[in-house]
Amino acid sequence: MTSTAFRYLPLVLLALAWEAVARFNIVDSQALPPLSKVAVAWFDLMRDGSLVSNGAVSLYRGSVGLLLAILIGGGLGMAMARWRLFDVFVNPLVQLFYPLPKSALIPVTVIWLGFGDGSKILLIFLACMIPVTIGAYNGARGSEQVLVWSARSMGASRMRMMWDVVMPSALPELLNGVRTALALAFILIVSSELIASQQGFGYLIGYLGSTGAYEAMYAVVLTVAFLGFTADRVYQVIMQWLLQWRE
Amino acid sequence: MDDAAQIIIDKVNHTYRPPRGRPVLALADVSLEVRPREFLALLGPSGCGKSTLLYLLGGFLPTEAGRILVEGKPVAAPGPDRGIVFQHFALFPWKTVRGNVLYGLERQRMPRSEREQRAQAFIDLVGLKGFEDSYPSQLSGGMRQRTAIARTLAFDPNILLMDEPFGALDAQTRSLMQTELLGIWQRTPKTVVFVTHDVQEAVYLADRVAVMSARPGRIKAIVDTKFKFGARDPGVFRSKEFVEKVDELWDLVRVEALKAQEEKVA
């Protein structure tokens, strides 16, 4: 208990410093409103429902995009690792797409699918697919030949062997890729909604900022930060549970 | 050709093609027959292609020249009629002891209650009662190899292929496992093809020992090692007959081991 308290001590100090700096007008309290006022604004946003409704939209877009990325990217990576011909065709595309800043695709996805959910889901899917694919690819390539042979000699078909041996072999690296993808999803959901949306966390931050409601804007920013942190923590627990067989 | 043979290896050649570098002839004109319920050891220096021959038998590598027949049919793919135990166990690390032993039975579509029972019986047989829910990473080397043996025996293959199964174990564990394997083999008789580079191990376990030459691997000699006495107690090691067989085989292998060594240096 004490160690947990100690771990979060810097956060508490930061919060206190924030409050003090704003209270004593060391920086412009317009640019940095006191944390206590941000908290009040947060409760107002919760009461009028705008935080919940916009948050729900963002989380929906993010989770659908991420889920598609995990399913398709995971399959893609494993298929590339096992089938030479498939690898020859798909790998250059992945290599080409890898360094592209995915935020550059925000206007593109809007042209294709409009300002609604579709363009955000597509963007998150495309961006998150890359680390998942690469993780699955590297993990599956490391799957041991003798495990593949063992499964085959016990009567597993080739497809069955993919599921029983290649997938679990790829799992540790695949799950690391998903963790990166999770962070990417948060980045892209907010930035895409900031630029081209009428709903969501990003939209709310942009709207509140442009109307000068800085206290409320900070409240939304902190909410997103907290959700991102929590999601990563929960994910790590899930990951540990899935990989409990490792020493 | 011997009608009674269960496995017929007929003039098999195999070329190993590394991703980079020149192809290497690993097996040259290997012919060998194995009878039902026979324990045959493939003995040879490292790099002589004895494991390659076992992988060909398992159907893991394609037969390029010559033919391999198992019960009259050419080997085309891996199958549950030929169970294999690898040197480094090859257990599924994400499955528990029970999960590993169950795997083959699940693939054979055995009904649940039957396979649970059978898995337990084989876990008990190899002395792992109480470790059913442990993961391989939590077990010692000897226990991992016991699990691998139980996993392979459980789905009841006619032929047991063993690729230096005790090579990764310490000397004491190895000797215990050898005795245990003999006991298991006597209770559930199967045809065994056992790859090893350990002369004593070959003489102790096998009915016949096929000695292979340095690369390219050929069958250099086949030596009968079936002893008159039925029970193979550890006293065997001191018997005159045993010591003489070991010496005889050592003479055959030593030349090949030296050749293999020279090739490495050159």
Side-chain angles (χ1 to χ4, degrees):
Chain A
M1 200 58 219
T2 43
S3 74
T4 315
F6 196 71
R7 187 138 43 109
Y8 291 111
L9 186 65
L11 281 180
V12 176
L13 290 177
L14 183 70
L16 289 174
W18 179 345
E19 184 70 20
V21 157
R23 282 277 168 211
F24 300 118
N25 261 321
I26 299 171
V27 296
D28 183 6
S29 66
Q30 269 273 292
L32 191 72
L35 193 58
S36 52
K37 288 195 175 171
V38 172
V40 172
W42 187 82
F43 280 107
D44 288 340
L45 282 171
M46 283 302 279
R47 209 171 300 130
D48 73 12
S50 53
L51 194 60
V52 174
S53 61
N54 282 291
V57 169
S58 288
L59 292 182
Y60 163 73
R61 291 165 172 174
S63 43
V64 172
L66 186 61
L67 202 69
L68 286 174
I70 292 170
L71 292 177
I72 296 173
L76 203 65
M78 284 191 278
M80 279 163 64
R82 297 300 303 180
W83 290 306
R84 195 68 170 279
L85 199 67
F86 195 69
D87 190 24
V88 167
F89 279 100
V90 180
N91 211 338
L93 300 178
V94 175
Q95 298 291 335
L96 201 71
F97 195 61
Y98 176 67
L100 176 81
K102 305 308 173 297
S103 46
L105 291 178
I106 293 171
V108 178
T109 56
V110 168
I111 291 169
W112 286 352
L113 296 177
F115 287 88
D117 292 339
S119 59
K120 312 298 172 294
I121 290 173
L122 178 66
L123 181 81
I124 289 162
F125 162 68
L126 288 174
C128 293
M129 200 174 69
I130 294 297
V132 177
T133 305
I134 291 172
Y137 177 71
N138 289 337
R141 269 170 33 123
S143 60
E144 285 183 68
Q145 186 66 64
V146 287
L147 294 188
V148 170
W149 284 354
S150 289
R152 295 278 285 132
S153 82
M154 284 188 272
S157 65
R158 277 174 202 280
M159 274 318 286
R160 184 79 217 190
M161 182 277 295
M162 284 291 283
W163 182 256
D164 287 348
V165 178
V166 178
M167 202 275 286
S169 299
L171 201 61
E173 294 219 38
L174 182 121
L175 290 176
N176 272 326
V178 172
R179 193 176 169 202
T180 309
L182 185 66
L184 267 179
F186 272 90
I187 295 170
L188 284 164
I189 192 70
V190 173
S191 46
S192 66
E193 287 170 350
L194 261 173
I195 292 172
S197 184
Q198 271 102 44
Q199 276 179 306
F201 278 135
Y203 159 76
L204 198 58
I205 291 168
Y207 169 78
L208 293 170
S210 66
T211 55
Y214 297 131
E215 290 156 12
M217 184 193 78
Y218 272 106
V220 181
V221 170
L222 287 184
T223 305
V224 175
F226 177 75
L227 285 177
F229 171 78
T230 309
D232 189 59
R233 271 304 154 101
V234 169
Y235 181 74
Q236 281 190 62
V237 171
I238 295 171
M239 197 166 145
Q240 230 156 44
W241 180 77
L242 283 172
L243 297 179
Q244 57 181 321
W245 47 271
R246 295 206 297 184
E247 52 258 81
Chain B
M1 224 165 272
D2 189 351
D3 284 337
Q6 188 178 22
I7 302 171
I8 297 171
I9 299 166
D10 186 21
K11 296 199 187 71
V12 166
N13 286 283
H14 190 81
T15 309
Y16 170 65
R17 293 184 182 79
R20 274 174 281 270
R22 266 181 289 150
V24 182
L25 186 64
L27 295 173
D29 267 336
V30 172
S31 294
L32 187 65
E33 289 179 6
V34 189
R35 298 169 204 133
R37 299 186 173 184
E38 178 179 36
F39 199 127
L40 179 105
L42 280 175
L43 178 69
S46 56
C48 75
K50 51 195 192 297
S51 293
T52 305
L53 186 58
L54 200 74
Y55 298 161
L56 286 166
L57 261 175
F60 305 124
L61 302 173
T63 312
E64 293 166 339
R67 51 186 197 137
I68 298 179
L69 302 179
V70 170
E71 274 149 22
K73 286 187 283 280
V75 167
D81 57 326
R82 286 151 290 142
I84 185 155
V85 177
F86 291 100
Q87 181 176 8
H88 294 288
F89 328 127
L91 295 172
F92 302 126
W94 48 85
K95 285 184 184 285
T96 60
V97 167
R98 183 187 281 112
N100 268 286
V101 177
L102 278 170
Y103 185 78
L105 306 177
E106 284 161 2
R107 296 284 72 75
Q108 316 293 305
R109 300 181 196 286
M110 186 181 278
R112 177 179 289 272
S113 65
E114 202 184 329
R115 66 178 189 238
E116 298 277 352
Q117 230 171 16
R118 193 168 171 86
Q120 191 61 53
F122 280 91
I123 289 168
D124 294 350
L125 180 76
V126 297
L128 282 177
K129 203 189 193 79
F131 292 93
E132 292 86 348
D133 298 315
S134 302
Y135 287 99
S137 62
Q138 300 166 319
L139 302 176
S140 70
M143 290 160 95
R144 289 182 203 182
Q145 197 55 294
R146 281 168 213 264
T147 308
I149 290 170
R151 178 177 74 170
T152 303
L153 289 175
F155 65 87
D156 200 23
N158 292 335
I159 297 167
L160 195 55
L161 306 174
M162 306 187 93
D163 185 17
E164 301 200 38
F166 307 141
L169 307 179
D170 64 80
Q172 279 121 45
T173 312
R174 186 186 313 147
S175 135
L176 290 174
M177 293 287 290
Q178 286 166 350
T179 310
E180 219 167 295
L181 176 66
L182 272 186
I184 292 170
W185 178 67
Q186 276 157 1
R187 271 170 282 163
T188 54
K190 287 184 187 307
T191 310
V192 181
V193 180
F194 189 103
V195 164
T196 182
H197 60 251
D198 181 335
V199 177
Q200 290 227 6
E201 182 172 73
V203 176
Y204 179 51
L205 294 175
D207 296 330
R208 283 195 305 155
V209 177
V211 181
M212 289 181 69
S213 66
R215 200 163 54 208
R218 300 169 203 275
I219 303 294
K220 180 177 175 168
I222 294 176
V223 177
D224 204 344
T225 48
K226 197 163 197 162
F227 291 103
K228 307 292 173 293
F229 27 79
R232 285 180 151 155
D233 62 291
V236 172
F237 291 115
R238 289 184 298 273
S239 74
K240 185 164 162 279
E241 211 177 355
F242 184 87
V243 175
E244 278 173 5
K245 278 288 177 205
V246 170
D247 281 346
E248 180 188 342
L249 280 161
W250 245 122
D251 286 339
L252 289 166
V253 171
R254 187 178 290 118
V255 193
E256 301 305 328
L258 284 172
K259 264 193 251 169
Q261 196 108 61
E262 274 162 28
E263 196 176 290
K264 246 179 225 166
V265 174

